[in-house]
Amino acid sequence: DASNYRQPPIGVVIPRDTDDIVRTVALCRQYDAPLLPRGGGTSLAGQCCNVAVVLDCSKYLRGIVSLDPQQKRARVQPGIVLDDLRNAAERHHLTFGPDPATHDHCTLGGMLGNNSCGVHSIMAGKTSDNVESLDILTYDGLRLRVGATSDEELAQIIAAGGRRGEIYGRLKALRDKYGDLVRERFPDIPRRVSGYGLEWLLPEHGFHVARALVGTEGTCVTILEATLQLVDSPPKRTLVVLGYPDIYRACDHIPEILAHHPVGLEGFDDHLVAAMKKKHLHPADVALLPPGNGWLLVEFGAATQDEADNQARGMMDALKQAGDEPQLKLFNDPAEEGRIWAVRESALGASAAVPGEDETWPGWEDSAVPPDRMGDYLRDLAELLQRYHYTWAFYGHFGQGCLHMRANFNFGTRDGIAHFRAFLDEATDLIVRYGGSVSGEHGDGQARAALLPKMFGDELMVAFREFKAIWDPGNKMNPGKVIDAYGPDENLRLGTDYRPPQTRTHFSFFEDNGSFAQATRRCVGVGKCRREGGGTMCPSYMVTHEEEHSTRGRARLLFEMLEGDPLDEGWRSEAVREALDLCLACKGCKGDCPVNVDMATYKSEFLAHYYAGRRRPIAAYTMGLINYWAQLASRAPGLANAVTQTPLLRTLVKAVGGIAPARTIPAFAAEPFTTWFRRRTPPATGERVILWPDTFNNYFHPATAQAAVEALEAGGYRVEIPQVALCCGRPLYDWGMLDLARRQLRQILTALRPAIAAGVPVVGLEPSCVAVFRDELLNLFPHDEDAKRLSQQTFLLSEFLVNQASDYPWPHLDRKAIIHGHCHHKAVLDFDAEEEALKRLGLDCTVLDAGCCGMAGAFGFERGDKYDVSIKAGERVLLPAVRAAPPDAFIVADGFSCREQIEQTTDRRALHLAQVIALARQGAPASGPPEDACPAPRTPNHLPLALAGAGALIVGALAWWQARQR
């Protein structure tokens, strides 16, 4: 999970239906095996890892059973993602109130386990406040529905006897015995989730058994279904951001802000913003914040925008009159509000893996106090942290007194762990003095369970044990968590016995101090890669819903590979290879993951070791070495096309080459771009610029490169190309051919050295190739000054024209355009420049939030599971959007793979930015399919050549390759 703890499970069950859950529990009971029902695995307190059989309902049991807008009620399965419920409810102007920062990938089952809260719990309360009933299953096999219980019902249930009657009778006895103590010792604050919810058994709370089970963290029962209460969702929102000199003074003003009844009140400090700036995380969004060193985000909601605005302005006026006025900024544009919320929601990841700083960890990330004491609590806590020489960043749900943070706890040495344990004791004493709770929404797990006696006292701890024993007398439900739990310094993911091998790697991993082990620790388990949509990461998970196909799952497998137990095959691990096999190497995680896990690079590194001394799959040689085959084919493109395009031969080529039968092999151009370029006469004057002739636009789509030459020359530039054939080696990384990739990059540095020294810009057309110069080049040659210079002076066409060519004469084109961004473009490069370039052309642009197109280089061409994932990834957003686009709208996609996916699966053809500029310069007609004005090259059927020369071509190609190998 996302905690400090590691416990390999006995096994994992992914049930398809409720009956599978029942059978699993029965088998556990038969073999006396512990059981752990788990949600999305984002828990920070260790409650989602255990030596147990893990039930993961997030793949199949993810539906809404019913939604009744009149009764404001929804019945859901435990694996449903919160946003799926919220989106369905919003159609009726309703919502499920609690919404943690993980709302787009956390599950309701996990929220019920943790008693989650979130930004808008200020409006609707905790998860427990919004539960009507639960369908549950006990470890001993009893299925029942629980909820509020009247005195008459309680008496009837007890009188009926049986296991159900026994449970209710013992719960009543527990209530009667400890009720007064619960009223006395439970902190009366909005955010108390520590311990068990015994307060819900009190008569004044209706003996609500379901709500008492919320927050038990899987230690009592398994939840099969939940009936939840929905609340009205104000359709219009206004956000006010308050900037204060520091976070402490900001929190001092919480009571007067709450008097204006906002629906959300969040906060964060300057340490968090500084971390974001170091990581270049949300730079444009952070820039929206008003001046200050501590910020509060205050959201108002109403039926109309005017009402919401008026509420916000009323608060602003009151704050101005009260003195100590903060810097104020009002946002009522949903897009801008979303950007501000993105800053807050990325806080956990932003405060982890900060360049140049120690690793940070949870452990005291969830304390809660009365909201009106928040400022003083933070001052005292900061003083305590300083005394222990820890660094931190504060953020959280300040309107309810809940603080989140990460600190640089040292879990690698005995002294560091003892230091951490001593800090926890003092921090708990502090929270008790403030009348607070050690857990405000993340739960106790084992991170804070040992601290509960200080908070509740020994007598209530006995009550908690009795409550668990009523439901789970054999202590088989998630044992060692919450009650009689492991200590916070046990089962550590690191600990004093953490000794990963310091393996030699091809990549330098300079951002992780040269350590592949440290790179595998980047993943903090926040699980953003488990989103259903939005952004790029992680396309394979969006298709399969399998944890092993998420960025987190793969990162954790690599960590386990280095642990050596239970994975004991090292770099030869089949489990790791299998998980990485469906990674599209899209680099979406490098851009979308808040800690910038770069699974594409990790995959390349792993495959380089896995295949060392081994033969790779045939596709590695047919598609990974496409540059060599393209060079050979360019000598006789007609013959090459005859082999790849003639029906019988192309079927054979696909079968031999590992290509999916449904795919069309792209045809080679009759003349490479480089040949065309060298026989033309370039302008004699102008500033020099090198156009990079990548394999795809050189040998397959030369018209794109030709259009780029014309576009650059229109800006007064003198275009050059390298004097020798060069390749960045992009396809090689997908197969771990890193020695060859390094050689090719070294050839580039040698060939371009004079131009690099002269500062000549290099303009690329293929985003994945330009990304090599900005990413892999530096990772393979971190200390090479020429590599650094080349990285800094290489641009995509859009970047160059927008950011470097200040007086470029943009032509005008009055059309609509549907824009699809290449994954590497969005993750590594500057996609804002692409949008700006198209806007300067006069296009009315719609940028698709489509994620990965699914083709991803050779991935989508491979047969089997990869082809299936490729199509499903494309059909998620991109391909339906292209089919629905107006006939006269431009479809713009700079990536060769993206354009191939679109052309092979729709009746449209996407254009590169260079082609769009060319059409604008030529005065494209105001209507009609844009691709008609920019026709694709025709590929003749060379059947006679095919019959005569196919055999010779194949034999010659094999001989040529063998010669190169020798």
Side-chain angles (χ1 to χ4, degrees):
D1 59 8
S3 73
N4 302 324
Y5 305 102
R6 171 186 178 269
Q7 292 176 279
I10 294 172
V12 178
V13 175
I14 304 177
R16 289 181 178 269
D17 52 33
T18 299
D19 288 343
D20 281 353
I21 297 178
V22 174
R23 285 193 288 269
T24 300
V25 174
L27 282 168
C28 288
R29 187 167 60 251
Q30 179 181 346
Y31 291 98
D32 205 31
L35 179 68
L36 165 56
R38 163 178 156 134
T42 61
S43 299
L44 289 148
Q47 58 266 62
C48 277
C49 56
N50 212 329
V51 182
V53 173
V54 176
L55 266 174
D56 182 353
C57 297
S58 63
K59 181 169 183 176
Y60 298 111
L61 293 172
R62 50 189 298 116
I64 299 174
V65 180
S66 64
L67 196 155
D68 185 343
Q70 282 71 41
Q71 298 295 321
K72 298 182 180 179
R73 178 186 299 139
R75 188 175 177 190
V76 300
Q77 294 177 314
I80 186 173
V81 171
L82 171 59
D83 270 3
D84 289 348
L85 172 60
R86 293 173 69 205
N87 293 338
E90 282 290 352
R91 301 188 190 110
H92 308 283
H93 306 295
L94 299 171
T95 191
F96 185 71
D99 57 342
T102 54
H103 55 83
D104 61 357
H105 57 280
C106 70
T107 68
L108 259 299
M111 292 180 66
L112 292 162
N114 272 12
N115 199 5
S116 298
C117 305
V119 173
H120 294 106
S121 58
I122 194 173
M123 174 179 73
K126 303 185 290 290
T127 296
S128 57
D129 299 310
N130 296 272
V131 171
E132 183 173 300
S133 65
L134 297 175
D135 291 0
I136 61 171
L137 174 67
T138 64
Y139 188 85
D140 55 15
L142 176 67
R143 291 183 64 173
L144 68 160
R145 176 173 294 183
V146 295
T149 317
S150 67
D151 291 341
E152 292 79 12
E153 289 173 316
L154 181 58
Q156 290 173 1
I157 293 170
I158 295 172
R163 176 70 171 122
R164 185 187 184 208
E166 175 199 352
I167 289 173
Y168 274 74
R170 292 177 65 186
L171 288 175
K172 179 180 181 297
L174 182 73
R175 177 199 68 182
D176 294 342
K177 181 178 180 181
Y178 295 102
D180 289 339
L181 194 60
V182 168
R183 295 183 183 96
E184 175 189 339
R185 293 297 303 269
F186 272 42
D188 185 17
I189 58 175
R191 291 295 192 95
R192 193 281 308 163
V193 302
S194 281
Y196 289 145
L198 302 186
E199 74 275 20
W200 290 109
L201 298 179
L202 299 176
E204 57 265 36
H205 293 144
F207 202 81
H208 206 304
V209 178
R211 293 182 178 181
L213 285 170
V214 173
T216 53
E217 304 179 27
T219 62
C220 293
V221 298
T222 299
I223 296 173
L224 304 177
E225 283 185 2
T227 301
L228 309 173
Q229 296 174 355
L230 305 176
V231 297
D232 293 321
S233 178
K236 299 299 180 182
R237 307 291 174 98
T238 299
L239 178 67
V240 182
V241 184
L242 313 179
Y244 287 90
D246 57 55
I247 196 62
Y248 315 109
R249 287 168 67 179
C251 290
D252 291 339
H253 292 272
I254 286 175
E256 59 195 273
I257 294 170
L258 288 174
H260 295 272
H261 307 293
V263 298
L265 175 49
E266 302 288 291
F268 50 85
D269 67 6
D270 55 331
H271 295 145
L272 182 68
V273 171
M276 288 186 171
K277 290 179 177 178
K278 278 190 176 183
K279 299 177 73 170
H280 307 290
L281 188 65
H282 300 297
D285 305 337
V286 169
L288 294 173
L289 298 174
N293 293 306
W295 294 268
L296 297 179
L297 311 183
V298 188
E299 186 180 63
F300 294 91
T304 68
Q305 193 63 59
D306 284 344
E307 289 179 89
D309 289 350
N310 289 337
Q311 291 176 27
R313 292 194 174 97
M315 180 201 69
M316 295 169 72
D317 291 341
L319 292 177
K320 290 176 184 178
Q321 295 171 9
D324 197 18
E325 177 187 348
Q327 297 289 323
L328 300 162
K329 286 185 76 171
L330 183 147
F331 300 89
N332 55 16
D333 175 70
E336 284 194 329
E337 291 177 81
R339 292 169 63 184
I340 294 292
W341 284 119
V343 174
R344 164 61 187 90
E345 290 178 357
S346 63
L348 190 157
S351 57
V354 180
E357 298 184 11
D358 294 337
E359 292 179 82
T360 62
W361 304 90
W364 189 256
E365 84 298 334
D366 194 37
S367 55
V369 297
D372 59 354
R373 305 192 70 187
M374 192 72 175
D376 288 338
Y377 170 61
L378 292 190
R379 289 182 180 94
D380 288 346
L381 181 60
E383 182 182 339
L384 179 63
L385 288 162
Q386 286 178 326
R387 185 150 47 85
Y388 275 83
H389 304 290
Y390 289 136
T391 59
W392 69 89
F394 287 154
Y395 58 97
H397 312 291
F398 288 0
Q400 290 200 306
C402 183
L403 171 70
H404 297 327
M405 57 166 281
R406 294 175 69 89
N408 59 332
F409 302 126
N410 177 1
F411 294 126
T413 67
R414 185 179 301 276
D415 288 345
I417 295 170
H419 199 63
F420 165 70
R421 190 67 180 84
F423 166 79
L424 287 184
D425 284 333
E426 287 203 56
T428 304
D429 292 338
L430 177 64
I431 206 74
V432 170
R433 288 202 302 272
Y434 273 91
S437 173
V438 295
S439 298
E441 68 173 328
H442 294 165
D444 299 316
Q446 76 172 83
R448 287 172 288 276
L451 309 174
L452 295 181
K454 284 192 172 192
M455 180 177 161
F456 291 103
D458 292 339
E459 197 172 355
L460 276 180
M461 293 305 299
V462 173
F464 291 153
R465 291 188 182 92
E466 290 181 12
F467 181 80
K468 174 176 168 60
I470 290 170
W471 299 102
D472 177 32
N475 191 28
K476 294 300 178 181
M477 295 297 298
N478 204 10
K481 312 294 177 175
V482 186
I483 300 302
D484 297 320
Y486 300 106
D489 49 359
E490 296 181 81
N491 301 322
L492 290 170
R493 192 147 56 97
L494 299 189
T496 55
D497 57 351
Y498 174 65
R499 299 181 189 86
Q502 296 302 310
T503 57
R504 295 186 63 182
T505 57
H506 298 266
F507 288 109
S508 67
F509 297 102
F510 62 92
E511 292 180 339
D512 295 291
N513 298 316
S515 168
F516 182 70
Q518 185 170 324
T520 67
R521 296 200 300 271
R522 266 187 179 266
C523 177
V524 296
V526 70
K528 192 176 180 181
C529 48
R530 287 172 54 99
R531 292 178 304 187
E532 299 301 299
T536 306
M537 173 183 70
C538 174
S540 50
Y541 177 80
M542 291 180 188
V543 170
T544 68
H545 295 124
E546 289 278 6
E547 174 75 15
E548 72 168 330
H549 296 145
S550 68
T551 304
R552 181 178 71 178
R554 292 171 176 134
R556 294 306 171 83
L557 274 169
L558 288 167
F559 177 92
E560 293 296 332
M561 178 190 81
L562 295 182
E563 280 289 294
D565 181 22
L567 299 183
D568 58 2
E569 298 174 289
W571 292 110
R572 302 291 197 181
S573 171
E574 284 298 323
V576 176
R577 185 207 61 77
E578 180 181 310
L580 290 172
D581 192 48
L582 291 185
C583 170
L584 286 80
C586 67
K587 286 190 178 288
C589 47
K590 186 177 178 71
D592 289 0
C593 173
V595 290
N596 309 116
V597 170
D598 184 1
M599 193 51 60
T601 297
Y602 304 170
K603 176 182 179 180
S604 294
E605 185 68 48
F606 173 82
L607 292 178
H609 295 272
Y610 178 85
Y611 284 120
R614 289 178 170 181
R615 181 176 297 173
R616 288 173 168 81
I618 187 64
Y621 304 107
T622 56
M623 291 182 274
L625 303 173
I626 185 62
N627 179 58
Y628 298 114
W629 298 119
Q631 287 184 49
L632 179 63
S634 68
R635 301 177 183 180
L639 183 58
N641 285 333
V643 174
T644 61
Q645 307 301 314
T646 304
L648 292 177
L649 287 177
R650 72 186 178 205
T651 301
L652 176 62
V653 169
K654 290 178 188 178
V656 173
I659 300 172
R663 285 297 184 194
T664 299
I665 302 174
F668 293 99
E671 179 183 60
F673 161 73
T674 50
T675 303
W676 171 87
F677 185 86
R678 291 190 176 107
R679 61 180 173 77
R680 71 190 294 271
T681 303
T685 60
E687 184 180 340
R688 294 172 63 197
V689 61
I690 294 175
L691 183 65
W692 182 256
D694 63 87
T695 297
F696 310 106
N697 289 306
N698 185 28
Y699 297 109
F700 296 96
H701 289 177
T704 303
Q706 293 167 16
V709 170
E710 295 170 4
L712 289 167
E713 289 181 348
Y717 293 95
R718 179 159 53 94
V719 181
E720 302 174 0
I721 62 173
Q723 296 301 306
V724 295
L726 299 170
C727 179
C728 71
R730 164 54 68 194
L732 301 174
Y733 298 95
D734 295 339
W735 304 101
M737 296 179 172
L738 298 184
D739 289 334
L740 181 55
R742 178 186 286 272
R743 287 203 301 271
Q744 291 188 345
L745 289 177
R746 176 58 69 192
Q747 290 170 1
I748 291 171
L749 293 173
T750 301
L752 297 186
R753 183 165 290 121
I756 294 171
V760 178
V762 177
V763 176
L765 302 176
E766 173 59 37
S768 61
C769 295
V770 175
V772 169
F773 293 118
R774 300 266 273 273
D775 189 358
E776 283 86 357
L777 177 64
L778 294 177
N779 212 342
L780 289 169
F781 299 95
H783 306 298
D784 189 301
E785 294 302 320
D786 279 339
K788 295 176 184 177
R789 294 185 187 103
L790 179 57
S791 176
Q792 293 167 1
Q793 62 198 64
T794 301
F795 309 93
L796 269 176
L797 180 63
S798 57
E799 290 181 294
F800 183 76
L801 295 182
V802 169
N803 300 327
Q804 306 296 317
S806 57
D807 56 351
Y808 187 76
W810 293 93
H812 190 78
L813 193 58
D814 187 14
R815 288 282 197 104
K816 291 186 179 293
I818 307 298
I819 317 301
H820 173 70
H822 188 285
C823 296
H824 293 181
H825 195 165
K826 292 179 287 187
V828 179
L829 310 173
D830 178 11
F831 194 73
D832 289 344
E834 186 81 8
E835 296 182 55
E836 180 61 26
L838 292 163
K839 289 177 182 176
R840 291 187 186 184
L841 287 170
L843 290 167
D844 179 7
C845 299
T846 299
V847 180
L848 298 177
D849 186 9
C852 183
C853 73
M855 186 66 87
F859 183 94
F861 280 96
E862 290 187 66
R863 61 190 172 209
D865 291 345
K866 292 184 179 180
Y867 172 77
D868 295 337
V869 169
S870 170
I871 294 298
K872 289 177 182 177
E875 292 291 354
R876 204 178 53 79
V877 175
L878 172 63
L879 301 179
V882 169
R883 296 185 191 109
D888 60 349
F890 280 83
I891 310 296
V892 183
D894 286 354
F896 175 82
S897 296
C898 308
R899 297 198 298 275
E900 280 296 314
Q901 180 78 307
I902 291 169
E903 186 168 354
Q904 294 198 21
T905 54
T906 74
D907 60 355
R908 299 297 299 272
R909 184 164 59 87
L911 302 179
H912 190 283
L913 172 65
Q915 294 172 296
V916 177
I917 294 174
L919 289 176
R921 292 183 63 248
Q922 296 164 10
S927 62
E931 47 264 48
D932 288 353
C934 189
R938 296 180 63 186
T939 305
N941 182 7
H942 296 274
L943 183 59
L945 282 172
L947 297 175
L953 177 67
I954 294 171
V955 172
L958 291 173
W960 175 81
W961 171 245
Q962 289 173 351
R964 285 194 68 92
Q965 290 295 89
R966 287 197 295 271

